[in-house]
Amino acid sequence: MTTNAAPFIFGSETFETSYTVFGDLKSGARPLVVLNGGPGLPHSYMLPHADLHGTRGRPVVLYDQLGCGESTRLRDKPASFFTPALFVAELDNLLQHLRIALDFDLLGQSWGVTLAIEYIAAHRPAGLKHLVLVSGSPSYPLWREALVSLRAQWPRDFRDMLDRHEKDDTTGAPEYQEGLMQFYRKHICNLEVWPPETFTTMAQMGEDPTVYRTMLGVNEFSMTGTLKDWSVIPKLGAVSCPTLIINGVDDEVPDSCIAPLFHGIERARWVTFGLSSHMAFWEEPTKYIKIVGDFLADSGLKNDTQAQEGIVAFVL
């Protein structure tokens, strides 16, 4: 494992992207680049993907997107600075810096799904061989609707409590935060004891929530950021490589949000993990790593005819 920083020039400024490589990028094995969620969540919670190096010998690149973790912080930037185009440019710069742009795989989780699609639509990368999209909605308006439906499934007194604090702008109150954690323990990570890496990510994001709050909002229920009306559904046709789509049966990104990905990407497979929510890589790690590893090792769907006839959605 090696950690370093890639200089990134954007406009007239130079920033740094902190990244960690598990394995040897010169080994000849195709590397996997992992895009974390948020936006603004450091990569710590995505560390299970490093197992693809240990079990498959595949180099894995994890990095902190600008504004979080060990990368350059952006506390003083205006809201207009935080656009998908910024993070697309950062990703492209990292690929060029690592000299892997001609042969790589890409995995995006949550917001990372949006970033992956935006990158592909902007650059049409010939070097991208496989794409994995994990628990991310291609449309934030669609996701907002889905969250309303999920919230409606909870008891009335629970919903009334959330409504009251959101109306009074007291979402920092312990009662509200405890309620939010109840929701997260069902729809984000259903493990009785959360892995320390997830708490590390949350603590780092809480220390500097600039990117998250600017682009998303206070939380998923209060999407007031620059992404609240964003959709990449019109851009899904740009994806031409074999694609694996993943979500969990209790995911906060439910099937209604995943379906447009499955139907909009021609060469797609969809797997729903039956014991997971938003982090199948923590909730069902052995099965998750096997399925992702097998997909990346395969040559994928061989041609368009096979893609049209052979794509399946199934529950594990």
Side-chain angles (χ1 to χ4, degrees), residues 18-22 34 43 46-47 49-50 60-64:
S18 176
Y19 65 89
T20 300
V21 178
F22 296 84
V34 178
H43 76 260
M46 297 294 283
L47 280 170
H49 293 88
V60 177
V61 179
L62 300 175
Y63 74 101
D64 291 332

Side-chain angles (χ1 to χ4, degrees), residues 24-291:
D24 183 0
L25 293 177
K26 298 180 180 179
S27 66
R30 181 181 302 121
L32 173 68
V33 179
V34 178
L35 311 178
N36 51 265
L41 294 183
H43 76 260
S44 302
Y45 81 102
M46 297 294 283
L47 280 170
H49 293 88
D51 288 348
L52 288 163
H53 169 61
T55 61
R56 304 294 180 116
R58 177 180 294 274
V60 177
V61 179
L62 300 175
Y63 74 101
D64 291 332
Q65 295 163 24
L66 281 182
C68 72
E70 299 302 317
S71 293
T72 303
R73 300 299 181 90
L74 304 170
R75 290 183 177 92
D76 299 327
K77 294 298 182 184
S80 59
F81 184 79
F82 298 94
T83 65
L86 167 69
F87 296 97
V88 165
E90 181 190 27
L91 171 57
D92 186 59
N93 179 76
L94 180 62
L95 294 171
Q96 301 300 332
H97 175 81
L98 297 176
R99 299 182 179 180
I100 59 174
L102 297 180
D103 187 31
F104 69 102
D105 294 329
L106 193 61
L107 183 149
Q109 193 264 348
S110 200
W111 139 257
V113 168
T114 297
L115 177 55
I117 300 301
E118 288 286 355
Y119 168 73
I120 292 169
H123 290 276
R124 307 282 175 143
L128 177 60
K129 301 303 191 295
H130 297 86
L131 176 65
V132 183
L133 302 176
V134 183
S135 295
S137 176
S139 165
Y140 282 80
L142 186 62
W143 189 24
R144 283 191 278 126
E145 292 177 10
L147 287 167
V148 170
S149 297
L150 283 179
R151 184 160 159 165
Q153 298 172 15
W154 285 72
R156 182 58 181 269
D157 59 344
F158 178 83
R159 289 181 280 130
D160 287 345
M161 180 273 292
L162 295 181
D163 290 342
R164 183 175 68 256
H165 284 290
E166 289 165 359
K167 180 180 179 181
D168 295 341
D169 195 23
T170 55
T171 55
E175 180 185 42
Y176 183 89
Q177 290 299 312
E178 290 170 9
L180 202 60
M181 282 305 299
Q182 289 183 47
F183 183 88
Y184 286 170
R185 288 186 184 279
K186 180 174 177 60
H187 297 298
I188 293 287
C189 181
N190 61 27
L191 298 179
E192 184 175 346
V193 178
W194 278 22
E197 291 87 347
T198 62
F199 285 113
T200 297
T201 289
M202 292 176 67
Q204 288 183 320
M205 195 274 283
E207 181 266 328
D208 184 1
T210 304
V211 178
Y212 184 87
R213 292 193 174 179
T214 302
M215 297 188 74
L216 192 74
V218 176
N219 56 51
E220 296 90 324
F221 295 139
S222 301
M223 286 193 198
T224 57
T226 56
L227 289 175
K228 69 183 180 70
D229 296 318
W230 203 272
S231 175
V232 294
I233 291 178
K235 301 179 180 182
L236 295 178
V239 181
S240 59
C241 64
T243 301
L244 174 64
I245 303 167
I246 292 172
N247 72 329
V249 69
D250 287 321
D251 208 317
E252 74 163 2
V253 180
D255 290 355
S256 61
C257 296
I258 299 297
L261 291 170
F262 183 59
H263 295 295
I265 297 174
E266 189 171 15
R267 305 170 70 188
R269 302 170 181 175
W270 176 4
V271 177
T272 298
F273 282 78
L275 301 177
S276 295
S277 57
H278 198 57
M279 295 187 184
F281 41 89
W282 283 114
E283 295 157 311
E284 300 180 70
T286 301
K287 190 177 293 184
Y288 176 93
I289 290 298
K290 182 180 187 309
I291 286 174

Side-chain angles (χ1 to χ4, degrees), residues 298-313:
D298 186 16
S299 59
L301 300 174
K302 301 297 190 298
N303 53 54
D304 292 343
T305 301
Q306 182 179 349
Q308 293 166 4
E309 296 176 353
I311 50 180
V312 292

